[in-house]
Amino acid sequence: LGKQDYKKTRPMLRATRLKAEAKKTAVGVKEVALVLAAILVFLLAFYAFFYLNISNEVDLDLDPDEN
């Protein structure tokens, strides 16, 4: 609360203070987007690891030089 608030009534000051506190504690869209992006990258890496692992095993099973 700054010097410009000295003319405000008590309820207005309380509302201003509560609004400022809510802004400090609110989770921003940027933070949520970063967490979701990190989870997505982790899942894609997990999927790619197993996809490549399974595709290599299939290639070994279909070796044409066995006959």
Side-chain angles (χ1 to χ4, degrees):
L1 299 177
K3 291 182 180 180
Q4 73 274 12
D5 292 334
Y6 71 94
K7 292 181 181 178
K8 291 183 178 178
T9 62
R10 287 181 82 91
M12 289 178 69
L13 288 172
R14 187 179 308 130
T16 304
R17 187 183 77 238
L18 290 174
K19 188 175 177 183
E21 288 175 1
K23 261 189 189 177
K24 282 184 188 177
T25 60
V27 177
V29 174
K30 188 184 257 187
E31 287 84 5
V32 171
L34 286 174
V35 169
L36 289 176
I39 291 171
L40 182 65
V41 166
F42 176 75
L43 288 175
L44 286 174
F46 189 74
Y47 174 77
F49 173 76
F50 282 106
Y51 177 77
L52 292 174
N53 196 11
I54 290 172
S55 66
N56 286 342
E57 288 178 9
V58 170
D59 289 343
L60 292 175
D61 291 342
L62 299 176
D63 192 6
D65 296 332
E66 285 181 354
N67 293 339

